[in-house]
Amino acid sequence: IGERSLPERVEIFDTTLRDGAQFEGISLSVEDKLRVAEQLDWLGVDWIEGGYPQANPKDEEFFRRAAAGELDLAGSTLVAFGPTRRPLGRWDDDPTLRALVAAGTSTVCIVGKAWDFHVTEALRTTLDEGVAMVGESVAFLKGEGLRVFLDAEHFFDGYAANPEYTLRVLEAAAANGADCLVLCDTNGGSLPHQVQKATAEVVDYFGGVPI
C-alpha cells in the first residue's frame, strides 16, 4: 500500500465483554462472560478485555474466577480495563489502579483522555495534569510487573483539535513503558482516510512502539 509494507501479523483486541455488552437488553452473567471468553479464545483473538474489575460485583467475580482457574485460555490473554488515577490524586494510593493490579491478569488497559476538551471540561483539570495522570498511572502499573496498554480515548477528535496535547499524552505513556498505544475512535465519526492519515503520522512519530 503505497510505500508501506503490510504487517506480518495483525493482533485483535476484543472488547465484547465490556463495550459489546453496553446496550439495552443485554445483561451478561458471570457464566456468560466465562463462556464468551472461551469462544473468543477459540476464534483466535489475541487480547480479551474482560471489563473493569470494580464496575460491578459481576465483573469482580468474573476476574476472581478467571484467576482461580475457571477460565482456561489456549492462546488469548485476558486484559483488565480501567481508568487512570484520579485528577490531583496519588498514583501510589489510587483504588482504581489497585483494583487493576488485584485483578490478577498479566495485562491491563487503562483509558486516558486524549482530547484536550474532555480534560478541561469533563475532568475539570489542566492539560499538564491530564498528561501526568497517564504517565504516572502507566509507571505505577509497569512497576507492578504488568503489561500495560494505553487506550487513548477520543484520539482522532483530539488529534484533529490539538495534536500537540494528544501527542504529549501518548509520549507520557510511551516514556513510562507502555507496551501498546491504542488509538480509539470513541465517537465513531472518523472517516477511513482520517484514520489512515493520523495513524500513519503516529506510527512515524513513535517508531518502534506498537500502535
Side-chain angles (χ1 to χ4, degrees), residues 13-125:
F13 187 103
D14 184 273
T15 63
T16 299
L17 297 180
R18 181 186 62 85
D19 235 5
Q22 293 181 359
F23 62 93
E24 189 175 356
I26 284 288
S27 180
L28 297 179
S29 68
V30 177
E31 290 294 335
D32 291 335
K33 294 190 70 166
L34 290 169
R35 302 293 80 79
V36 170
E38 289 175 350
Q39 291 302 303
L40 292 170
D41 179 56
W42 179 80
L43 287 170
V45 166
D46 298 274
W47 312 95
I48 301 174
E49 185 189 283
Y52 175 38
Q54 282 192 329
N56 53 61
K58 285 194 297 185
D59 279 359
E60 183 178 1
E61 181 183 350
F62 169 74
F63 281 102
R64 179 179 57 78
R65 292 174 61 176
E70 292 190 45
L71 183 59
D72 184 19
L73 301 177
S76 302
T77 298
L78 183 64
V79 180
F81 175 89
T84 63
R85 70 158 172 81
R86 296 165 293 185
L88 303 178
R90 287 179 52 183
W91 56 267
D92 57 346
D93 189 30
D94 187 276
T96 60
L97 296 181
R98 291 289 181 189
L100 292 177
V101 174
T105 60
S106 65
T107 306
V108 297
C109 181
I110 57 171
V111 58
K113 303 289 188 187
W115 189 358
D116 60 352
F117 174 76
H118 282 266
V119 176
T120 56
E121 299 302 315
L123 297 182
R124 297 289 180 181
T125 192

